[in-house]
Amino acid sequence: MLAAALALAGQRLTAQPSPASPTRSVAIDVAPPTASAATSSDAAGALRLDAGRFTVVAFPRDLQLARSLLRSARAHDSFPGLPRPAARVLIAIAPDAAMFRQWVGPTAPDWGEAIAIPALGRVVMKGRWGGAGGGDPRVVLRHELAHLALAEALGDLPPRWFDEGYASYAAGEWGRDEVLTANVALLFHRMPRLDSLDERFVHGASEAEGAYALAHRAVAELAAMDPERGLSLFFGYWRESGRLDTAVRRAYGLTLAAFEERWQSRTRRRYGVLALLGELSVGAGFALLVILPLYVIRRRRDRLRWAELRRADAAALALEAAVLADPSDDGVGEACKPSLDTDFRAV
């Protein structure tokens, strides 16, 4: 069925000249396609957009998304520390869940919004049906394109944790740090080792989110150690030596083990404390929700009681004033008056 659209686009990609040569493909600068509609009968309705080194295959309902992604990919086609990529890329936007599964294969996680396949120079993304939960599609695409750029430059040298951490770092996914600020375990439990993160990417969405956040923090920490050149020297040494530990030592002056300890310590100190403060804030907020209604009830009861006392005092003062003003009113005043015949000496 629609797999024919990908096959057809893939065949055209291999037949196209290099980016430096004049191109004979249908060059569409994010404009509606005309002659670029897929011609395979099995892929009726599938459309193809070509611009620069990118080809996007999508269906009419995702055409606006395809244009936006193509525009974004061309405008931001460089990645931190890496040479500008030259390999052509096919971006396939799946029209539904069944087609997404067919294109990415049975082993890809269900919760992923997109999958990069470096060996094929391909990115498969969910279309509009994917919903807003996966974030900005342009950021998602840049994450996947970073995987392809890293593979183009270093092949299979990067371990999984670095591959994912770099893609997140290159895509500017700083929001992943929010996962760490909610993880109090960072403060009270031993931080994982970098190589132990690899298996966490396949243990479900929650476990994977934590692994992505930690990997992102590791790559960001690595790049920050050279504010001027970032990852450039590091990648050069890695490509030259073929060893991650050698590249870290030559680029940043410390061993991979020392960097790992630095990453663990700084991550625990920074995000563990933030997570604890967050938990305390939540606890204080919960306590406030419990105590505040009781406080309000008590204050209202006290106000009513004081109001009754003030009314009673006012009534007593009014009665006393009335008695003093006209003692005859209550029949007690005359008796209280001294008689002129009273023998005060006898009193």
Side-chain angles (χ1 to χ4, degrees):
M1 294 177 61
L2 299 181
L6 289 183
L8 178 62
Q11 292 168 5
R12 291 180 176 178
L13 280 178
T14 58
Q16 287 187 15
S18 65
S21 305
T23 177
R24 297 188 303 273
S25 63
V26 180
I28 302 173
D29 191 9
V30 199
T34 54
S36 59
T39 57
S40 169
S41 60
D42 291 334
L47 303 173
R48 168 180 167 163
L49 305 178
D50 291 282
R53 68 188 187 99
F54 300 102
T55 293
V56 181
V57 173
F59 278 71
R61 62 172 299 185
D62 292 316
L63 188 57
Q64 184 176 356
L65 173 63
R67 292 174 185 161
S68 175
L69 293 176
L70 186 58
R71 184 185 300 114
S72 178
R74 293 193 66 197
H76 305 94
D77 195 20
S78 61
F79 300 87
L82 293 177
R84 192 177 184 88
R88 293 193 59 80
V89 176
L90 172 64
I91 303 166
I93 303 178
D96 52 47
M99 192 53 56
F100 181 79
R101 175 54 56 193
Q102 179 179 334
W103 286 352
V104 302
T107 59
D110 293 330
W111 43 264
E113 291 296 314
I115 299 290
I117 310 173
L120 300 177
R122 180 179 301 174
V123 174
V124 180
M125 297 187 62
K126 293 179 179 179
R128 292 170 54 188
W129 59 273
D136 188 337
R138 294 168 298 183
V139 175
V140 173
L141 176 61
R142 181 163 174 81
H143 179 109
E144 303 307 328
L145 292 177
H147 283 308
L148 300 187
L150 188 64
E152 182 179 340
L154 296 176
D156 59 358
L157 288 177
R160 178 73 182 273
W161 70 263
F162 187 92
D163 193 12
E164 296 294 354
Y166 176 77
S168 181
Y169 173 76
E173 297 174 345
W174 299 102
R176 292 195 183 276
D177 287 351
E178 295 177 3
V179 176
L180 300 180
T181 60
N183 191 350
V184 180
L186 291 176
L187 196 60
F188 301 105
H189 298 279
R190 183 178 179 83
M191 280 278 293
R193 294 179 56 85
L194 286 170
D195 55 11
S196 73
L197 296 180
D198 290 5
E199 61 185 24
R200 299 189 179 197
F201 291 109
V202 295
H203 284 176
S206 178
E207 187 95 3
E209 281 298 320
Y212 276 112
L214 290 171
H216 175 275
R217 177 46 40 197
V219 174
E221 187 78 30
L222 201 64
M225 289 195 298
D226 188 344
E228 294 184 3
R229 291 162 295 191
L231 298 168
S232 300
L233 281 181
F234 165 72
F235 280 139
Y237 291 137
W238 198 357
R239 188 165 46 248
E240 178 183 328
S241 67
R243 294 181 59 85
L244 175 58
D245 54 349
T246 300
V248 172
R249 186 168 60 252
R250 293 180 64 184
Y252 303 112
L254 72 168
T255 65
L256 179 60
F259 165 72
E260 187 171 53
E261 290 179 2
R262 171 192 171 103
W263 163 73
Q264 291 173 328
S265 174
R266 289 169 66 90
T267 302
R268 179 189 296 110
R269 186 168 62 249
R270 177 177 179 180
Y271 294 97
V273 171
L274 289 176
L276 181 60
L277 291 176
E279 288 293 322
L280 291 176
S281 298
V282 171
F286 179 76
L288 185 61
L289 288 176
V290 174
I291 295 173
L292 184 60
L294 299 178
Y295 174 77
V296 171
I297 293 172
R298 176 65 180 270
R299 290 279 296 176
R300 183 179 179 184
R301 186 177 62 187
D302 288 346
R303 284 196 301 269
L304 293 175
R305 182 179 299 172
W306 280 109
E308 285 293 329
L309 291 174
R310 284 193 294 270
R311 283 195 294 270
D313 287 344
L317 290 173
L319 180 60
E320 182 179 354
V323 170
L324 293 176
D326 187 4
S328 63
D329 288 347
D330 57 2
V332 177
E334 283 293 325
C336 293
K337 289 182 179 181
S339 171
L340 294 178
D341 300 331
T342 302
D343 186 354
F344 288 100
R345 291 174 297 179
V347 175

